[in-house]
Amino acid sequence: MRVAILQEAQSGKGFYPFDALAVGYVTMPDLFSCEILPARIGFSIFLEPFGVGHDLEVAQDIKGSQVYYCSDVDRRFKDRLIQSLITPRRVSNDV
């Protein structure tokens, strides 16, 4: 995604481009590659022109707080997510 598209989308209420990944992790954690690593907020000269500048740095060789970081998601995630969205579910009205 281009940065301009994300910036435009984020100006609207309720947009967060990583919601699908959060739902995916809760429902399909076996498809994510995660580990505990040191992390910190750093500065990126490459992000500065976009008015951001700060980024999340996660690596074995830095000093920072230990976080549970997911660095990758299995290729099957997209198909499973789409299938779960288009598959009708029965809703029970029982209280």
Side-chain angles (χ1 to χ4, degrees):
M1 241 183 210
R2 296 184 62 187
V3 172
I5 294 170
L6 278 176
Q7 287 175 335
E8 182 179 322
Q10 288 175 344
S11 65
K13 289 185 176 183
F15 177 81
Y16 186 67
F18 307 106
D19 280 347
L21 287 174
V23 169
Y25 181 77
V26 169
T27 59
M28 300 173 263
D30 56 305
L31 297 181
F32 288 75
S33 298
C34 306
E35 61 184 314
I36 296 174
L37 290 169
R40 67 181 178 206
I41 302 298
F43 179 79
S44 171
I45 194 165
F46 300 107
L47 295 176
E48 189 176 25
F50 303 106
V52 182
H54 292 89
D55 64 352
L56 176 65
E57 298 174 354
V58 181
Q60 287 283 2
D61 60 345
I62 64 171
K63 289 185 179 183
S65 299
Q66 297 290 307
V67 299
Y68 190 67
Y69 183 72
C70 299
S71 59
D72 199 15
V73 64
D74 190 287
R75 293 172 162 247
R76 297 172 293 169
F77 172 72
K78 177 182 164 189
D79 292 335
R80 286 189 185 180
L81 180 64
I82 291 171
Q83 190 61 42
S84 72
L85 293 172
I86 63 174
T87 302
R89 302 226 187 264
R90 292 185 103 176
V91 178
S92 173
N93 291 330
D94 297 338
V95 176

